[in-house]
Amino acid sequence: VIKCKAAVAWEAGKPLSIEEVEVAPPKAHEVRIKIIATAVCHTDAYTLSGADPEGCFPVILGHEGAGIVESVGEGVTKVKKGDTVIPLYIPQCGECKFCKNPKTNLCQKIRITQGKGVMPDGTSRFTCKGKQIYHFMGTSTFSEYTVVADISVAKIDAAAPLDKVCLLGCGISTGYGAAVNTAKVEPGSTCAVFGLGGVGLAVIMGCKIAGASRIIGIDINKDKYAKAKEFGATECISPQDSKKPIQEVLVEMTDGGVDYSFECIGNVGVMRAALEACHKGWGLSVIVGVAAAGQEISTRPFQLVTGRTWKGTAFGGWKSVDNVPKLVTEYMSKKIKVDEFVTHTLPFDKINEAFELMHSGK
């Protein structure tokens, strides 16, 4: 058993608490990882807020991390002690019907137990003050050591800077893949990206790499426009600057609507606007943001009858074990940006400050 520091969420709506936790050794088909760097994501905040129907407490959150394999359990063959890895919240077992189907990346092998905050055998590897602590998204990267299933880990280039590539564990991969895999943005097309946070910037990057000629960024926070343009946005607009609904503004700006739109916020009203901003006959809108439990999307069916398509994406459609190492290689060869997404680097015990910075849009 390893004793180390972790940021424990004891209950919903309270700040994380830095505690000493015990991390049990990995069982069969499990891997124990020394986490070197982790990022914070809105999904962590969503669960911490108490809005997540799958949220279990007390829990160790975190799902954008990178580290070094400390030890492996029986039967683990894909990684060994000392390997550099990124934990994966969407695993890839290679055996389930989802993994065998090229149309999806949603491996279901450990979905049930992962959603309940436990390892595949139904138990936790974390304890603190004599209490069992739940796992989160199969990763729990807000701990100096974590244990994950062997299908939830990608071995990456040992030379990669872990304080940067940890972001490929969720946000950047999600946005970039939404553009290149889910939407399959084409050269010369017009795109609209709603929400200019980390995921939205990654969508913009993907649209630019795919050759889009016009990329419109949409956000009420104008402080985000300069960064969006660095990533490839050709123009940025705020829904608050017009009396008309934003979809009408976009339809007018683009002679009938955009070819591709992306909702990167998790707001069902914005999801509707993103669909309705698409061009009749061929427009495609991708939902990237995660809305709160129980919310529903709506539009008039005529929007779809007249040739618009509504799609969703999880982790950008990447088959995780296969593609995360390739994304790291693309970063190392400067095909995709990663460093530019990092705004602040804080010591682990300042993790609550990191959440405050995220909520304030900084």
Side-chain angles (χ1 to χ4, degrees):
V1 174
I2 290 178
K3 288 187 176 178
C4 68
K5 278 196 303 187
V8 177
W10 288 107
E11 56 184 301
K14 295 280 169 71
L16 302 178
S17 175
I18 301 290
E19 306 279 3
E20 184 181 78
V21 298
E22 293 86 42
V23 185
K27 295 188 183 177
H29 294 287
E30 295 177 3
V31 179
R32 186 160 61 181
I33 302 167
K34 180 179 187 180
I35 297 289
I36 306 297
T38 187
V40 298
C41 171
H42 275 283
T43 312
D44 303 305
Y46 168 63
T47 299
L48 185 58
S49 75
D52 182 355
E54 276 196 348
C56 320
F57 294 89
V59 64
I60 295 172
L61 299 169
H63 63 284
E64 289 186 336
I68 311 289
V69 174
E70 178 274 332
S71 59
V72 300
E74 195 186 327
V76 175
T77 55
K78 298 228 171 107
V79 294
K80 61 184 187 307
K81 182 179 174 168
D83 282 349
T84 305
V85 294
I86 290 177
L88 307 167
Y89 72 91
I90 294 182
Q92 187 187 349
C93 71
E95 295 164 0
C96 71
K97 67 181 179 182
F98 289 80
C99 281
K100 287 180 172 167
N101 190 323
K103 294 177 181 175
T104 184
N105 62 331
L106 296 174
C107 173
Q108 296 296 295
K109 182 81 178 262
I110 59 173
R111 181 71 199 95
I112 308 288
T113 49
Q114 181 172 314
K116 290 179 178 164
V118 290
M119 294 300 288
D121 72 344
T123 63
S124 167
R125 302 292 162 269
F126 298 119
T127 47
C128 180
K129 299 178 179 172
K131 287 190 179 136
Q132 172 182 285
I133 308 290
Y134 287 108
H135 294 250
F136 177 67
M137 289 176 76
T139 52
S140 289
T141 60
F142 293 173
S143 174
E144 291 179 320
Y145 287 86
T146 189
V147 179
V148 305
D150 62 354
I151 59 171
S152 303
V153 63
K155 181 183 172 181
I156 62 161
D157 184 342
L162 301 187
D163 61 333
K164 306 294 194 298
V165 296
C166 62
L167 291 169
L168 293 170
C170 177
I172 298 178
S173 305
T174 297
Y176 176 46
V180 300
N181 296 331
T182 310
K184 297 185 168 60
V185 170
E186 293 164 325
S189 55
T190 299
C191 302
V193 181
F194 291 77
L196 301 176
V199 174
L201 293 176
V203 170
I204 289 171
M205 176 174 77
C207 292
K208 186 181 177 184
I209 289 170
S213 60
R214 194 172 177 192
I215 304 167
I216 305 164
I218 300 128
D219 203 299
I220 55 175
N221 182 350
K222 294 186 177 179
D223 295 341
K224 297 191 169 185
Y225 293 178
K227 195 82 166 170
K229 286 177 179 167
E230 271 175 50
F231 277 87
T234 52
E235 61 219 282
C236 294
I237 58 173
S238 168
Q240 295 174 338
D241 286 351
S242 171
K243 291 201 170 75
K244 291 181 182 170
I246 188 68
Q247 52 267 54
E248 286 181 27
V249 174
L250 285 159
V251 166
E252 280 176 16
M253 282 173 66
T254 57
D255 184 29
V258 298
D259 302 312
Y260 302 98
S261 71
F262 302 85
E263 197 279 355
C264 308
I265 301 161
N267 176 313
V268 293
V270 178
M271 290 172 189
R272 177 172 190 161
L275 176 79
E276 295 177 359
C278 282
H279 203 289
K280 182 191 264 187
W282 63 78
L284 171 70
S285 187
V286 181
I287 294 173
V288 192
V290 177
Q295 296 199 326
E296 297 183 347
I297 49 172
S298 64
T299 189
R300 295 195 318 283
F302 192 68
Q303 291 284 333
L304 302 176
V305 171
T306 50
R308 293 170 194 81
T309 304
W310 220 342
K311 292 184 88 170
T313 189
F315 196 53
W318 302 107
K319 298 242 185 207
S320 58
V321 174
D322 291 344
N323 286 296
V324 167
K326 292 177 185 169
L327 290 166
V328 171
T329 304
E330 285 193 4
Y331 158 65
M332 300 289 277
S333 62
K334 299 199 162 39
K335 186 189 169 187
I336 60 172
K337 295 180 182 318
V338 173
D339 298 14
E340 293 82 352
F341 286 88
V342 179
T343 55
H344 299 74
T345 304
L346 300 167
F348 186 37
D349 54 13
K350 297 263 173 70
I351 191 162
N352 288 308
E353 279 181 37
F355 277 93
E356 285 163 24
L357 286 162
M358 180 172 69
H359 288 307
S360 65
K362 294 184 176 137

